Amino acid sequence: MNRHHRLAIDRIACDGRGLCAELLPELIDLDEWGYPVIHGQAVPADLLGHARRAVAACPVLALRLERAAGDRPPPAA
Amino acid sequence: MTQTTELRQSTEHRLLRGWFETGGPADLTEHLRRYGPAPLPSERGARQARAALLQTVEQAGLTGRGGAAFPTGRKLRAVAEGRGRPVVVVNGMESEPASRKDEALLDLAPHLVLDGAALAAAAVDATVVHLCLPRGSARATQVDRLTRAVAERWRAGLDRIPVEVHRLPHHYVSSEETSLVQWLNGGPARPLATPPRPFEKGVDRRPTLVDNVETLAHLALIARYGPSWFRSTGTADAPGTTLLTVSGAVHAPGVHELPLGTPLGAVLAAAGGTSRPLGAVLVGGFFGSWLSAEQAPAVPFARPELAALGAGPGAGVLVALPADSCGLAETARVLGFLAAQSARQCGPCRFGLPAVAADFHQLAWGRPDAELPARLPHRVELLAGRGACRHPDGASRLAATALAVFAADVRRHLETGPCPGAALPPVLPVPGGPAADEVGWR
Ligand code: SF4
Ligand code: SF4
């Protein structure tokens, strides 16, 4: 099975101070108000360490690293 | 609501059959005479009977009519297979201002909807059905009527699973399924971050099926007449009929039932034909897409074909914009409304959406600053995929298609200021009133 890691953000919890983008500029940009913009779907293996550090640094636990694989659940109605 | 003789002869009516037979709403007596009681799965051999009903819905290929067009059978199965006894939530909020079809259906054929709710609840073995309706005066008599209809069915022994009627604050994002779940759990009627999705963990942390009222009415007919009957109209990928609210420059605006896959030109013809030359067509609603008047007529109203153009069926809304109206002004008003209606929980809704709305306002009626042409498309693009719900995505789609379809107007506005059309009265029905935050979410 083709497993990969993916960054996800709880957009309601995120307060947009942008710490994650400082720690992981390769994958995260900020918009003009300081809220994160994630580039690309998968996190490349060589950036996994940085990604984990960014997740740990998010002050409101809004940033997550998800394992994505196989079936997608049904979307909202 | 409109009826024309051509319509009566040329299309098959399913949900609106009663209306075309009597010209009025169907009470319980009339409903039972026309359809008989809902074929609930037998309580003996219950497991197998439930499985058979689930399979029937899957084979019919019914998709949600609330906006996402997700396969209903798959959603039923996910809920039925979840952990714990399920809950069914019937979404009758219809917060899309350009849509009237759920309101019309609940008026004309309330018992088809309630049959569908009873059947869906039986299929997933739920213990309770929550019927969610908007609070406020506009639909208050309808809510009272439905409350009485629910009680009448219970007294008559037609429903096995109790139905509770709820009145929720009526904001644009309050009809999101996570908003309904959060409200039913005692919180504000505002979207929640997912996961978990309602089908996994919703009301009382139980697997929760949220379905639109029209979807359930179709389900009530599928349970009676079977999948092949359902598939006998519409397309192979988008079977059945759908309710459409058509407004704008047509002779017979109102709610119409047509097969999925009907070309938009034929939809407009069913609504009496266009009353003036068209400039564009909005398909899907406030979260919808603009299509040019040249392109629109040939496009079939069905999810796969619309998706190929980056559009979607939404809640079945079609607005015919006359050529002399200003698409930029229309879009600016809707974006202003969407910005005021957001729950202001996520970055794109707090900052991005109001900024895009302000840019559009400037473009439509003001003197655009020098940076606007470069800034606006970028801001529009960054709205998508960055909220907890699809609110900013919908706004982004509307704005992006406006910039594309009205590209010539954009150039004109930038060069010479607002066109005469920008001063005309609105075609899209943008509600006034206070921002959602001021009214409250509980
Ligand atoms: S560090 Fe966390 S709160 Fe800050 S911008 Fe990134 S995701 Fe949002
Ligand atoms: S995206 Fe907007 S409407 Fe949706 S939850 Fe976030 S703030 Fe609310």
Side-chain angles (χ1 to χ4, degrees):
Chain A
M1 204 187 303
N2 180 22
R3 276 182 181 281
H4 62 272
H5 287 84
R6 202 175 51 173
L7 285 169
I9 298 179
D10 178 338
R11 301 285 180 175
I12 295 179
C14 168
D15 68 1
R17 237 120 13 111
L19 213 56
C20 53
E22 260 169 57
L23 292 170
L24 194 59
E26 298 87 345
L27 297 179
I28 304 179
D29 255 350
L30 297 178
D31 69 14
E32 49 191 303
W33 301 279
Y35 284 84
V37 181
I38 300 179
H39 292 292
Q41 278 294 315
V43 178
D46 59 327
L47 285 176
L48 263 179
H50 288 268
R52 290 212 172 88
R53 222 168 306 149
V55 167
C58 172
V60 292
L61 308 178
L63 191 63
R64 292 188 307 272
L65 199 55
E66 285 180 345
R67 278 180 149 241
D71 262 6
R72 284 167 158 266
Chain B
M1 199 65 32
T2 37
Q3 49 175 335
T4 63
T5 351
E6 309 89 79
L7 222 126
R8 219 180 273 208
Q9 285 157 359
S10 65
T11 56
E12 180 191 359
H13 292 103
R14 295 179 165 184
L15 303 182
L16 298 186
R17 183 181 142 198
W19 158 257
F20 277 95
E21 282 172 12
T22 67
D27 62 11
L28 185 56
T29 313
E30 187 190 318
H31 172 77
L32 289 174
R33 195 168 48 223
R34 186 171 292 124
Y35 298 109
L40 294 172
S42 75
E43 284 179 287
R44 220 177 298 169
R47 186 181 282 274
Q48 271 162 318
R50 288 200 299 269
L53 178 53
L54 262 178
Q55 210 182 5
T56 302
V57 178
E58 278 173 338
Q59 284 168 354
L62 173 65
T63 52
R65 300 291 198 256
F70 189 79
T72 307
R74 243 160 83 196
K75 208 154 82 165
L76 282 165
R77 189 170 293 282
V79 169
E81 288 171 356
R83 299 172 61 121
R85 285 294 289 281
V87 171
V88 169
V89 176
V90 181
N91 190 350
M93 296 289 288
E94 190 161 63
S95 51
E96 170 68 54
S99 180
R100 283 286 171 277
K101 56 118 182 156
D102 290 342
E103 182 182 353
L105 179 65
L106 285 168
D107 263 345
L108 298 176
H111 292 286
L112 270 186
V113 175
L114 294 170
D115 279 356
L119 287 158
V124 301
D125 198 18
T127 57
V128 63
V129 173
H130 296 291
L131 173 55
C132 293
L133 297 166
R135 197 182 291 160
S137 55
R139 285 170 66 192
T141 49
Q142 174 173 76
V143 177
D144 291 342
R145 238 181 292 127
L146 283 164
T147 308
R148 286 198 297 277
V150 164
E152 188 184 6
R153 291 168 66 94
W154 189 256
R155 280 197 307 274
L158 290 171
D159 289 334
R160 291 204 287 257
I161 299 162
V163 178
E164 293 176 19
V165 181
H166 303 278
R167 295 165 165 83
L168 280 70
H170 199 202
H171 305 310
Y172 197 77
V173 297
S174 295
S175 59
E176 279 282 325
E177 62 174 17
T178 58
S179 300
L180 304 182
V181 166
Q182 179 161 225
W183 190 89
L184 288 166
N185 281 336
R190 263 196 321 233
L192 277 168
T194 52
R197 295 253 170 72
F199 79 93
E200 303 163 305
K201 217 175 262 175
V203 178
D204 297 333
R205 308 180 64 76
R206 289 152 60 180
T208 300
L209 178 80
V210 185
D211 267 328
N212 164 267
V213 290
E214 184 194 337
T215 312
L216 291 169
H218 284 295
L219 194 154
L221 295 178
I222 289 167
R224 286 176 167 94
Y225 306 132
S228 353
W229 167 83
F230 186 72
R231 289 183 164 280
S232 66
T233 191
T235 70
D237 292 333
T241 61
T242 195
L243 295 179
L244 291 154
T245 313
V246 188
S247 62
V250 289
H251 286 294
V255 177
H256 297 267
E257 182 175 16
L258 290 162
L260 279 173
T262 303
L264 300 187
V267 176
L268 296 175
T274 53
S275 55
R276 285 147 73 192
L278 294 194
V281 173
L282 177 69
V283 53
F286 283 16
F287 276 180
S289 306
W290 289 106
L291 300 175
S292 72
E294 297 75 48
Q295 181 184 27
V299 176
F301 189 88
R303 184 181 146 93
E305 286 84 357
L306 288 168
L309 300 172
V317 166
L318 212 66
V319 185
L321 186 76
D324 55 0
S325 283
C326 174
L328 298 174
E330 295 291 334
T331 307
R333 273 188 289 261
V334 173
L335 289 170
F337 168 79
L338 292 176
Q341 284 283 308
S342 96
R344 298 212 175 98
Q345 304 187 98
C346 311
C349 273
R350 280 162 68 182
F351 300 102
L353 181 49
V356 166
D359 281 350
F360 256 89
H361 194 278
Q362 204 183 76
L363 184 59
W365 295 292
R367 294 160 129 263
D369 61 75
E371 279 82 50
L372 185 136
R375 176 182 71 218
L376 180 54
H378 183 63
R379 282 181 170 173
V380 167
E381 195 189 318
L382 279 187
L383 282 182
R386 293 178 57 236
C389 76
R390 294 163 301 142
H391 191 70
D393 301 67
S396 174
R397 178 150 76 175
L398 180 80
T401 56
L403 292 177
V405 168
F406 305 118
D409 298 314
V410 171
R411 270 194 307 277
R412 230 165 6 119
H413 279 238
L414 286 173
E415 282 161 16
T416 58
C419 62
L424 290 177
V427 173
L428 289 171
V430 178
D437 268 347
E438 291 164 35
V439 180
W441 297 92
R442 184 63 219 171

